[in-house]
Each structure stands twice: as C-alpha cells, then as structure tokens.
Amino acid sequence: MPSEEGELEPVRLPEAGLARVEANVAMLLDRSARHERQIDDLSAAPPPPDSPFAAYGLPGFAGLPPVPAPPEPRPILELEDEEYEDELDALSDWVDDFLVRVYGAEVTTAAPWCEQWQEHPDVVAWLHALWLAYQQHKDPEAGLSGLFVWHRDFLTHAMATVRAAGGPLSACMTDPDRPAHRLLPGPRPSNRNTSATEENEESGELGQAGG
C-alpha cells in the first residue's frame, strides 16, 4: 500500500515465498532460452527435400524416414510387363465397377461396346486417360466444380469417341445379347522411310558411277 506521502513501500516476502518466486523465474528464463534456440534452428536449417512439410517451410519429424513422393502418372501404353498388367487391373476395376455401371448406356449399333475392351490398345489408352482425369478432378483441390468439369470436358468426349458407330469398337458387340469381339486392322506402316532409303542408295550408286 502507498504511504501517507504517496510513495510505494517495498513488499517483503517470507523466505519460503522468495525461493519459490526465484525458482519460477529461473524456469521461465530456461524455457525462453530453449524456445529461442528452436527458433534459431528452424530459421537456419532448411527442411530436408523429402520432408512432407517442405512446401510449408517446416522440417520433417526427427527419427522418421522421409516420405517418398508419389510416382508421376504415365500413359498406360508406356508401361511394360507387370507394371502394365497392374495398371490395367486397376483400370478394369474402375471401368467395370463405376464407369460402365453408371455411364454405360444401352449397347446398340450407334453405341457399341466390347467385353474384351482390354485387347483394344486405343480404347485402353482413352479409358486410362479418362480415369486419370477423374482422379484429378475428384480431388478436393479441384474445387466444388471439379467433377462437373470432368463430366463436361472429359467423360462426354471420351465415351463418344470410344463408343462411336464408326469407332474402335464398331466391329464388336452391337447387341447386348450377342457378345462379339474383333480387332479392326489399322493402316499399314508408312513406306516413306523405305522409299527414302532406296532413293539414297540409288543416288549413291549413281554418284559413284559418275565419279
């Protein structure tokens, strides 16, 4: 309490209370020092490249192995052997359990289908690209309109191409009661390289003869 002259008088604490205050002050100072060291470490050392928090400027957890980055998606026709078979199995599950069940309209001459579509490389490539786009646009980062964009820009175009009356499945099943499968022959390889080679050989022979 202030004295009669208005000056504050010192507060005297018992020795037991003074020791407790000193201990609390020492603890606070130690904690502050540790916090400052942690801040210095975070600002001085960049996060490891494989840290899942690297994009946010935060370090990884000490003692835990770095999280490997997910593999970049590749076109299915670039894959080989077991890698291709695994990707085709996953694609088949999505096509059979989701795509055809939800968006598979009736099989007609105007909209053919093939129960062995996995043997049509061009159809596999189209459906795989459609599947990759579906995974991207259903992600929360795509926003609320992500799946609408997938329907508008990907699903409609891909299915119209794959199931076109003159498309890759036009020689397959056009009646749901009569399954059929046939691979249409594609164009023959270009003969440009062969012709160019023959012309070079003839030019070389003529050049040698003229020399």
Side-chain angles (χ1 to χ4, degrees), residues 88-142:
L88 185 60
D89 287 344
L91 173 63
S92 299
D93 290 341
W94 180 75
V95 171
D96 295 337
D97 298 340
F98 174 71
L99 184 66
V100 174
R101 183 171 57 84
V102 177
Y103 304 101
E106 182 181 3
V107 176
T108 65
T109 55
W113 184 246
C114 184
E115 295 179 351
Q116 296 173 251
W117 59 265
Q118 294 92 339
E119 298 181 19
H120 296 262
D122 48 353
V123 174
V124 170
W126 269 102
L127 296 180
H128 185 255
L130 182 62
W131 181 40
L132 294 180
Y134 174 77
Q135 295 178 69
Q136 176 184 351
H137 285 80
K138 76 170 184 175
D139 191 278
E141 293 185 358

Side-chain angles (χ1 to χ4, degrees), residues 4 29 38 47 52 66 73-74 76-77 97 121 127 162 177 183 189 204:
E4 294 179 357
L29 291 175
Q38 291 177 353
R74 295 168 54 195
I76 191 171
L77 297 186
D97 298 340
L127 296 180
V162 169
D177 297 326
L183 293 175

Side-chain angles (χ1 to χ4, degrees), residues 24-38:
N24 291 336
V25 171
M27 181 182 64
L28 292 174
L29 291 175
D30 180 66
R31 183 179 301 175
S32 176
R34 283 190 282 111
H35 287 172
E36 290 179 359
R37 288 195 297 270
Q38 291 177 353

Side-chain angles (χ1 to χ4, degrees), residues 128-181:
H128 185 255
L130 182 62
W131 181 40
L132 294 180
Y134 174 77
Q135 295 178 69
Q136 176 184 351
H137 285 80
K138 76 170 184 175
D139 191 278
E141 293 185 358
L144 297 177
S145 62
L147 285 177
F148 177 84
V149 173
W150 178 77
H151 282 82
R152 183 195 64 192
D153 295 346
F154 299 92
L155 174 68
T156 303
H157 184 58
M159 295 299 280
T161 301
V162 169
R163 302 190 62 182
L169 304 180
S170 57
C172 297
M173 183 171 61
T174 57
D175 185 337
D177 297 326
R178 300 175 60 185
H181 165 64

Side-chain angles (χ1 to χ4, degrees), residues 8 13 18 62 73 107 119 128 160 163 180 188 193:
L8 296 177
L13 297 176
L18 182 60
V107 176
E119 298 181 19
H128 185 255
R163 302 190 62 182
R188 299 179 60 183
N193 292 335

